[in-house]
Amino acid sequence: MKLGVHVGYWGLGLTSEDQIEIVQEAERLGYDSVWTAEAYGSDAATILGWIAAQTTKIMIGSAIFQMPARSAAMTAMTAATLDQLSGGRMLVGIGSSGPQVSEGWHGVRFAKQLQRTREYVAVVRQALARERVEFHGETIELPLPDGPGKALKLTIAPVQERIPIYLAAIGPKNTALAGEIADGWIPTLLDPEHLSGLREHLDEGAARAGRSLDGFDIAPTVQVFINDDREAARDALRPYIALYVGGMGSRKQNFYNQLVQRYGFEDAAREVQDLYLEGKKDEAAAALPGELIDRIALVGPKDVVRERIRVFRDAGVGTLGVSPFAFTKDERLEQLRLVAELADAA
């Protein structure tokens, strides 16, 4: 199992010098990849270019490029450019984002997500293969049929023969789609004890495409806080997890809440959401079961975290993307070093 590090969203109290020192230390420790996110602050592509210029071997990944934020052709252009700049180290993670960001920030209707994703990936692949892009789908039409546009070909070539494409997916249908069309899958709030059941969705998609999942990379993003005081470690993560379970989306469209319910925490998920949407964020965080936090994050003393790393590995995770839950450079560096040490011993 490889290790990846998530630098997450930009501007969480760390300077640019702090961030690059963290990435360079991860590279020195043997981390395979570094990933960055975007929502409605910093964009992922700029950060990846900046990281590529100051590293030599660590893979660089978007987790994720938001589909409503850029056309499929623009994603292909960006991926090819970053692959050239990094000497062939680009990993393309894409996803739908959510309805509030898609419609509220990008002005793109959150609709037909399965078909949109399928067609988006097809166009990205076609463009990266340097074919003349002509595509006639339900959500993408290239070139437009009633104007001067013509089918064009990407003018630069990626270094990699095939840049890996990862899908961020949570629901069963989107997860199956990842198994059908992607090279990897980026789940969030993953409980490794439920991975065998989730793999059934991946297998379903792979069977639909008549393909094998050999080499397919399961690459979850996992929050990490290694601390001798297990309860304090849980408490530190409560506000973050409560945001996702309780407030990331509307009452009807919160994919993370639905995921936690599928893990068997139906009552707790509803309670956390009710409290969060009533503005009682502290109470929502307190209502999260400790067992849930232990399952989806790496929290507590070294021996506990070592065993959980082993569980993720044995469940079939290919890249463990760790996000150190620390807010200073030194604390993040310490968490990264501890994870590397414990992963070697797991």
Side-chain angles (χ1 to χ4, degrees), residues 250-330:
S250 66
R251 191 177 299 278
K252 291 184 178 180
Q253 280 189 305
N254 183 324
F255 307 123
Y256 305 99
N257 189 280
Q258 295 164 14
L259 176 67
V260 168
Q261 290 193 42
R262 291 196 294 273
Y263 288 163
F265 296 92
E266 296 93 340
D267 292 342
R270 294 190 189 99
E271 181 183 4
V272 170
Q273 185 177 60
D274 288 343
L275 290 168
Y276 205 96
L277 294 180
E278 290 170 8
K280 301 174 181 177
K281 296 181 181 180
D282 291 343
E283 293 177 45
L288 287 166
E291 181 187 356
L292 171 63
I293 300 171
D294 291 346
R295 285 194 188 182
I296 62 177
L298 295 171
V299 292
K302 290 182 182 180
D303 58 336
V304 172
V305 171
R306 183 189 302 112
E307 178 56 33
R308 292 303 295 170
I309 290 174
R310 185 180 295 120
V311 171
F312 276 94
R313 183 197 64 200
D314 293 348
V317 168
T319 299
L320 185 67
V322 302
S323 180
F325 203 81
F327 298 98
T328 69
K329 178 192 71 174
D330 290 342

Side-chain angles (χ1 to χ4, degrees), residues 129-150:
R130 302 195 67 221
E131 301 172 6
R132 291 200 178 276
V133 177
E134 184 171 349
F135 193 90
H136 307 290
E138 291 182 37
T139 68
I140 298 176
E141 181 81 20
L142 290 171
L144 292 175
D146 53 357
K150 65 176 184 177

